[in-house]
Amino acid sequence: TRGVLRNLKHAGGLKCYPEINVPDITPQQASKRFNYVHELLESKETFRDWIWSDECIVQVGGNRRMITTSNKYDKRRLTGVRKFAKKLMVWAAITWDGPGPITFLEEGETLGAHGYIGILEDFLLPFIDNWNGRVRAVFQQDMAPCHTAKDTKAKITEWGIKTAPWAPASPDMNPIEYVWKDMKHWIGKNRNPKTRSAIQDAALFYWQNILTKERCRAHITHVIENMEHIKRCNGGPIVDKWYNN
């Protein structure tokens, strides 16, 4: 029975740990990741002039919580789940000095090269010009198709924006990934949005009032620590970070 198994685990000093999700990295990708972090760490990059960017989907009501309990009749297990979860696609950026621009895609809109260029032109360029300027700023983006498209590269070159090199399969090196996680957690805990506009209002409130300069710096510092672990793992998943805790 489950009770017997639980007692045996307890007697043997065994504990239950949550599954750790890590990027599925090939040897070729690991080599590129290692070279990438090695160069950055050797150059003692401070990331003070970097603009970290990405897109994410904020979805509310589509996932179930996992409740740990010894009673299957625990009322915490009862939660309303909407059949058609509302979701919203967001593009945003952060810096060492705090949150940067944020914008939201229209319902049903997919982000191709043309749309991405429009976002950069309408939101990124004004931000850079009012921040550190195009000479100093280093713009980070991952290797999504709309980011690496020929037209996108041509426009970024035309605007005179320096882009950061990037390694494949490396969400663990982008601090905005941790911002997305915190934002979704905050929205789920503090708001109960039922429409796309309510999700957008909640995300905008988080961006303008909850995401402080200190939070952005903590996430960027966390990524620098990740880079140290990635180097020790020869570019692979940062498993030693978890095993050493």
Side-chain angles (χ1 to χ4, degrees):
T1 65
R2 290 186 178 180
V4 172
L5 290 175
R6 184 167 56 249
N7 291 336
L8 288 173
K9 291 177 182 178
H10 179 74
L14 302 177
K15 295 182 180 180
C16 294
Y17 294 95
E19 184 181 50
I20 299 173
N21 295 322
V22 296
D24 186 11
I25 299 170
T26 66
Q28 294 78 12
Q29 291 172 336
S31 176
K32 292 179 180 180
R33 280 164 54 87
F34 175 83
N35 292 333
Y36 176 74
V37 299
H38 177 74
E39 292 178 5
L40 287 175
L41 294 173
E42 286 295 312
S43 65
K44 301 187 183 302
E45 175 61 59
T46 62
F47 303 103
R48 299 297 194 270
D49 297 319
W50 281 45
I51 304 172
W52 308 85
S53 72
D54 198 15
E55 303 87 24
C56 87
I57 294 178
V58 182
Q59 181 170 313
V60 177
N63 298 321
R64 295 189 303 169
R65 295 180 302 159
M66 297 300 293
I67 302 297
T68 301
T69 177
S70 59
N71 177 15
K72 70 177 180 179
Y73 301 107
D74 193 324
K75 291 183 178 181
R76 292 178 301 163
R77 295 184 61 200
L78 303 177
T79 180
V81 178
R82 289 185 286 276
K83 185 175 181 180
F84 301 104
K86 299 298 182 181
K87 58 184 179 180
L88 181 69
M89 189 167 186
V90 185
W91 176 90
I94 65 169
T95 71
W96 181 260
D97 296 323
I102 183 172
T103 186
F104 308 92
L105 275 67
E106 297 294 333
E107 187 171 8
E109 181 182 0
T110 58
L111 192 59
H114 179 74
Y116 183 62
I117 291 172
I119 288 176
L120 298 184
E121 190 168 17
D122 294 341
F123 296 93
L124 179 67
L125 290 184
F127 174 77
I128 290 179
D129 291 338
N130 291 326
W131 184 53
N132 277 355
R134 303 187 190 185
V135 175
R136 292 183 56 189
V138 180
F139 177 55
Q140 177 277 334
Q141 56 182 355
D142 61 23
M143 303 177 73
C146 62
H147 301 169
T148 57
K150 182 178 178 181
D151 291 344
T152 302
K153 291 181 177 180
K155 272 295 182 182
I156 291 177
T157 302
E158 177 185 326
W159 293 330
I161 297 176
K162 184 192 305 181
T163 57
W166 196 244
S170 298
D172 49 3
M173 286 193 281
N174 191 347
I176 203 170
E177 295 287 350
Y178 299 98
V179 173
W180 297 143
K181 181 179 179 181
D182 286 349
M183 183 176 74
K184 293 175 184 179
H185 176 76
W186 184 88
I187 292 175
K189 183 178 180 180
N190 297 279
R191 300 291 179 91
N192 185 30
K194 295 181 172 61
T195 64
R196 290 185 79 257
S197 60
I199 299 174
Q200 180 171 326
D201 291 342
L204 197 58
F205 183 88
Y206 172 88
W207 206 259
Q208 296 174 345
N209 299 278
I210 308 300
L211 183 60
T212 61
K213 175 176 67 176
E214 289 73 24
R215 284 183 180 235
C216 289
R217 290 187 176 184
H219 291 311
I220 293 172
T221 302
H222 177 67
V223 161
I224 296 174
E225 295 172 356
N226 280 358
M227 291 182 178
E228 296 280 1
H229 291 287
I230 290 169
K231 184 177 179 180
R232 285 198 294 272
C233 294
N234 295 317
I238 49 177
V239 292
D240 70 332
K241 177 181 178 181
W242 304 99
Y243 293 158
N244 290 332
N245 286 340

